[in-house]
Amino acid sequence: MDTDWHRTLSDLARRLDDAQQARTETPSLERDPDVSVDLDVDTAYAIQNEVVRRREGRGERTIGVKLGFTSREKMAQMGVDEIIVGRLTDAMAVPAGGEVELARFIHPKIEPEVAYRISTDVDLDDLGFDDALDAFDVHEIVDAVAPAMEIIDSRYVDFVFTFADVIADNTSAAGFVVGEWSPLRAVPDNAVTLVVGETDAGPATTKEGTTSAILGDPENALREMLRQCRRHGIPLRTGDVVLAGAATAAVALGAGPVTCAIDGLGEVSVRGV
Ligand code: OOG
Ligand code: MG
């Protein structure tokens, strides 16, 4: 924890932050022979913290968290068995039914998500041991659920990264849209449909899945979130939005309409322009 280490971390955070602001890709940090720090998971979260701190320094407000790799398929793809957590800021929020400017992004993709709303300032030190979390009743910390979509936009070249890289890059967080909130209800195995209209980024695409792809039930993802937030000191506050993780693969986002429908929750749309 010397000053060189801190300087390297803030240099790497600046590299990712500059890439996001300039809409230019940057090579993998972990595979960069010039990066001298060992990019373990804790270091990667320290870089993410610094990336978020830089955004806050420009006046952005952190308004939630997003979970990644919560589907077994995505975990297997990455060869990992842990979820990742990133931060959502107000600058990433897109109004439901509204337009999102593609010029904000490098190579955006969109994916269907279930959103939850945190109902209390969560005391992460008061949750018992990790094992006890498996029985934790999420109603204690969450009061509403909504259909949502996430726009992911890796700052890395060709969207290719290692596990530590993507954590440092705030888990590719770039945009999100949340539909109408309903009082919290269980959605353990509900149909999810993402319809992406024909765009310059590709032909019309429909992706179908179910919420059970999210760790068997997105509420399990919330329990994993608590474990990870406690481990990495990520606060959860009243009113925060949580994206529980995509239930299908992401689709390239171009100019045109996109709709996500989740059985029992309704639908939400956005248009790339
Ligand atoms: C990382 C973000 C993954 C999800 O829902 O699983 C994610 C990426 O694929 O770029 O947001
Ligand atoms: Mg996602």
Side-chain angles (χ1 to χ4, degrees):
M1 301 267 166
D2 53 29
T3 36
D4 279 354
W5 187 80
H6 283 291
R7 193 170 311 126
T8 306
L9 252 54
S10 69
D11 284 350
L12 296 177
R14 183 174 330 114
R15 171 163 148 186
L16 290 168
D17 191 44
D18 286 352
Q20 185 259 317
Q21 288 200 276
R23 286 88 167 137
T24 53
E25 307 173 312
T26 193
S28 157
L29 304 184
E30 196 171 3
R31 299 198 178 115
D32 184 338
D34 293 333
V35 170
S36 56
V37 287
D38 176 20
L39 214 66
D40 59 17
V41 167
D42 287 339
T43 305
Y45 275 104
I47 296 169
Q48 180 190 122
N49 272 341
E50 184 61 19
V51 166
V52 173
R53 206 194 57 76
R54 292 179 69 91
R55 294 186 78 126
E56 290 175 343
R58 291 193 292 274
E60 293 182 33
R61 225 160 30 84
T62 298
I63 57 170
V65 299
K66 54 151 291 187
L67 313 181
F69 305 147
T70 51
S71 82
R72 293 284 175 209
E73 210 175 320
K74 276 204 170 193
M75 275 186 183
Q77 235 171 38
M78 288 299 290
V80 297
D81 59 3
E82 247 182 23
I83 71 160
I84 55 177
V85 184
R87 261 66 77 80
L88 301 172
T89 75
D90 58 349
M92 300 177 191
V94 178
E99 295 184 339
V100 58
E101 269 184 57
L102 300 170
R104 282 170 50 181
F105 309 112
I106 305 167
H107 39 207
K109 298 182 188 179
I110 192 158
E111 55 187 21
E113 299 266 350
V114 179
Y116 290 92
R117 190 173 64 200
I118 299 285
S119 57
T120 181
D121 292 344
V122 180
D123 183 352
L124 290 164
D125 296 322
D126 189 33
L127 291 170
F129 295 104
D130 274 8
D131 288 348
L133 279 179
D134 292 336
F136 183 81
D137 180 2
V138 299
H139 286 73
E140 286 185 32
I141 58 154
V142 164
D143 67 355
V145 58
M149 289 184 282
E150 180 178 19
I151 298 166
I152 51 174
D153 192 34
S154 174
R155 267 56 67 167
Y156 297 113
V157 176
D158 294 339
F159 236 103
V160 175
F161 42 71
T162 67
F163 188 66
D165 279 333
V166 69
I167 292 170
D169 185 26
N170 196 20
T171 68
S172 308
F176 68 101
V177 50
V178 178
E180 206 171 312
W181 293 106
S182 310
L184 181 61
R185 64 187 62 168
V187 286
D189 189 16
N190 295 38
V192 175
T193 311
L194 181 76
V195 179
V196 182
E198 185 186 331
T199 69
D200 49 354
T205 312
T206 299
K207 292 262 177 218
E208 295 191 20
T210 99
T211 51
S212 63
I214 306 164
L215 293 184
D217 178 339
E219 291 190 8
N220 291 333
L222 297 177
R223 287 184 268 270
E224 282 304 319
M225 166 192 76
L226 291 172
R227 233 188 286 276
Q228 295 296 331
C229 285
R230 182 171 50 188
R231 195 167 295 161
H232 300 293
I234 298 172
L236 295 166
R237 302 189 195 86
T238 309
D240 276 357
V241 174
V242 177
L243 301 182
T248 73
V251 178
L253 175 66
V258 187
T259 299
C260 164
I262 302 182
D263 239 21
L265 294 183
E267 47 176 72
V268 59
S269 297
V270 73
R271 173 178 284 274
V273 292

